[in-house]
Amino acid sequence: MGKRVAIIGAGVSGLATIRSCLEEGLEPTCFEKSEDIGGLWKFSDHAEEGRASIYQSVFTNSSKEMMCFPDFPYPDHFPNFMHNNKIQEYITVFAKEKNLLKYIQFKVIISSRSGSWVISRVWDDGYPWDMVLVNRFETFLKNNLPKAISDWWYKKKMNAKFKHENYGLMPLNGTLRKEPVFNDELPACILCGTVSIKPNVKEFTETSAIFEDGTVFEAIDCVIFATGYGYAYPFFDESIIKSRNNEITLFKDIFPPSLEKPTLGIIGLVQSLGAAIPTVDLQARWAVKVVKGTCTLPSITDMMNDIDKKMRERLKWFGTSNTMLTDYINYMDELASFIGAKPNIPWLFLTDPKLAVEVFFGPCSPYQFRLVGPGKWPGARNAILTQWDRALKPMKTRAVGTPLKPCLLCRWVRLLALPILVVAIFLAWIQ
């Protein structure tokens, strides 16, 4: 074996890193504080100090075709949006299949205030939301249309199911691409009157809440603060990650630029509308090549300039420079280009048009990043061409005819027909 690599935590980020180390001939040792793999996905009915956990009823927000390891699809019969025990089952099977468990050492201690877009897991024609929205053509439009048009398009999509203004949910700045809330029940609860939306709390009394609009809610039973997650790395100095003004300063959200040698990579400290598993898989593939020395990092100055550029982009799209949010497809393509795993779309249209249509207009599924380059998976092409079959299979429990797959080109022609017609009428009018 080659260099020895220490990996902290045996969640999906840790497992992806172990596998990437093995692929690159390195010697990984993973330290896991708890008794099992899975990280956050390992539900525990009792609190453990220093360990975050999901709650028992958690389901995934990403569908199964969009959140698998790129060479390891979920079983066909698994539902599209899975309960956490299904994710844990998948993670366990993956670790055993890839022979990762022997590299893990367990039990080691190492020292609406502003509104939100609310979207359903069920999107156009009943397909999973991410298989419809997370695609290269959407990203192409976002990157190339004027921002005013891109913002209009985004708000139109977010309001596709219901008008957020009518429900009191409209974000203060609806054009920012902040992570939406995934909830299939909230709009119906508001319609039925079982949930009321109020502005920010001004103050609490002993038994009531006073809101900023002056209204008061009496006889409160309990208050739940949905404040989200914090993050901490208690086993090393926080200044390594936040080296300037409490900002996260990591090159490509992985490497601290201030270290003399690139011997430390942070896997999984990033958020996007894409799923975590394919993201950390690609992060680990590149990071391990950097540690091994087959990929190199630019100078500290160039890395800091890139970080500053990224922060300006985040301010533009997400509204704050210290967020961990990033654009999923742009980020994945950037990482994939570093290791030669980015699919060449024009070349695909010339050599394999059927696959090219699925890759460009269809879901940007994890399999795309195992089509070419190091770690190429022979089954990637077939996995992409059959991903809709697997998405539909768990719902085919009553035969009512042949399930219809989406016509990707038809969908985009239909969506673009109206703006094209408007432009045509305008051009004809000014002549």
Side-chain angles (χ1 to χ4, degrees):
M1 299 289 282
K3 294 180 179 178
R4 298 172 63 195
V5 179
I7 300 164
I8 311 300
V12 293
S13 300
L15 295 176
T17 307
I18 296 172
R19 198 265 288 264
S20 293
C21 285
L22 296 174
E23 289 178 338
E24 294 296 327
L26 303 182
E27 184 179 349
T29 300
C30 180
F31 299 95
E32 170 56 46
K33 184 178 180 181
S34 68
E35 298 178 357
D36 202 355
I37 63 174
L40 279 174
W41 289 110
K42 177 64 177 177
F43 171 73
S44 175
D45 57 6
H46 62 278
E48 298 178 24
E49 184 179 357
R51 179 181 180 271
S53 178
I54 55 175
Y55 47 93
Q56 191 170 11
S57 60
V58 161
F59 280 76
T60 63
N61 289 329
S62 298
S63 60
K64 66 177 182 180
E65 289 302 301
M66 301 295 283
M67 69 172 298
C68 63
F69 285 101
D71 57 349
F72 201 76
Y74 287 88
D76 291 354
H77 64 279
F78 272 33
N80 282 285
F81 294 101
M82 294 163 285
H83 187 263
N84 61 80
N85 60 16
K86 288 292 185 185
I87 299 294
Q88 182 64 18
E89 179 182 339
Y90 169 81
I91 292 170
T92 301
V93 172
F94 172 81
K96 290 179 178 178
E97 180 74 19
K98 301 299 182 181
N99 198 25
L100 307 181
L101 297 178
K102 66 180 182 180
Y103 299 98
I104 303 172
Q105 295 186 19
F106 295 101
K107 285 189 175 181
V108 175
I109 305 300
I110 304 176
S111 257
S112 213
R113 185 177 304 176
S114 57
S116 176
W117 293 115
V118 178
I119 68 174
S120 170
R121 294 179 176 89
V122 183
W123 210 251
D124 294 348
D125 300 320
Y127 295 109
W129 74 271
D130 47 0
M131 294 189 75
V132 177
L133 291 182
V134 183
N135 63 74
R136 292 181 177 278
F137 186 63
E138 288 265 4
T139 300
F140 173 81
L141 293 177
K142 171 181 172 287
N143 291 342
N144 293 281
L145 288 174
K147 191 171 187 303
I149 298 177
S150 175
D151 289 345
W152 169 82
W153 181 269
Y154 177 73
K155 291 175 70 174
K156 180 177 175 62
K157 286 187 305 180
M158 293 296 101
N159 268 324
K161 300 301 180 183
F162 65 94
K163 296 291 185 183
H164 283 62
E165 298 94 326
N166 296 343
Y167 286 69
L169 296 168
M170 183 69 187
L172 293 179
N173 189 339
T175 63
L176 296 178
R177 272 57 164 184
K178 292 184 177 181
E179 189 173 15
V181 172
F182 293 91
N183 194 297
D184 301 291
E185 300 175 0
L186 181 58
C189 290
I190 295 173
L191 276 178
C192 296
T194 57
V195 171
S196 297
I197 305 299
K198 304 293 288 183
N200 190 31
V201 174
K202 181 181 179 180
E203 61 178 305
F204 289 106
T205 68
E206 187 174 344
T207 59
S208 65
I210 303 173
F211 300 96
E212 289 183 343
D213 62 358
T215 58
V216 179
F217 190 82
E218 300 283 357
I220 292 176
D221 294 313
C222 65
V223 175
I224 300 173
F225 290 94
T227 52
Y229 287 101
Y231 63 92
Y233 290 85
F235 38 84
F236 56 65
D237 192 328
E238 193 179 47
S239 65
I240 294 175
I241 295 179
K242 295 181 175 181
S243 62
R244 183 183 62 186
N245 299 329
N246 207 38
E247 297 172 340
I248 299 172
T249 48
L250 296 176
F251 180 61
K252 304 305 179 187
D253 298 305
I254 299 175
F255 288 103
S258 58
L259 297 184
E260 182 179 351
K261 294 183 179 180
T263 56
L264 174 66
I266 311 297
I267 306 300
L269 191 62
V270 65
Q271 290 178 306
S272 72
L273 271 186
I277 289 177
T279 304
V280 300
D281 179 77
L282 200 48
Q283 284 185 318
R285 290 165 68 187
W286 177 51
V288 166
K289 286 184 176 294
V290 172
V291 171
K292 185 181 179 182
T294 53
C295 288
T296 58
L297 299 180
S299 67
I300 293 178
T301 300
D302 288 343
M303 286 192 283
M304 291 305 301
N305 288 339
D306 184 86
I307 291 169
D308 290 339
K309 178 183 176 183
K310 178 75 71 173
M311 287 182 175
R312 289 193 295 270
E313 291 175 354
R314 285 174 168 168
L315 187 64
K316 172 184 175 182
W317 291 109
F318 307 115
T320 176
S321 61
N322 61 4
T323 181
M324 294 185 289
L325 283 169
T326 192
D327 183 277
Y328 176 68
I329 295 178
N330 288 335
Y331 182 64
M332 294 289 279
D333 276 350
E334 189 174 35
L335 295 183
S337 67
F338 295 154
I339 61 172
K342 179 183 175 181
N344 187 327
I345 308 300
W347 181 248
L348 275 181
F349 272 106
L350 290 174
T351 59
D352 195 341
K354 182 179 180 181
L355 178 62
V357 168
E358 283 287 340
V359 168
F360 188 65
F361 292 101
C364 186
S365 49
Y367 319 115
Q368 293 191 15
F369 301 101
R370 292 277 180 174
L371 277 171
V372 297
K376 175 181 176 180
W377 179 42
R381 181 182 186 274
N382 183 64
I384 293 170
L385 296 179
T386 57
Q387 57 196 356
W388 292 105
D389 296 324
R390 290 187 299 279
L392 292 170
K393 184 170 182 177
M395 298 180 287
K396 292 162 58 177
T397 55
R398 174 174 171 256
V400 289
T402 304
L404 297 177
K405 302 177 188 177
C407 175
L408 301 176
L409 288 175
C410 296
R411 174 176 176 266
W412 286 111
V413 169
R414 186 170 69 247
L415 287 173
L416 294 174
L418 180 59
I420 291 173
L421 179 62
V422 171
V423 171
I425 293 173
F426 174 75
L427 293 176
W429 178 73
I430 63 175
Q431 289 179 350

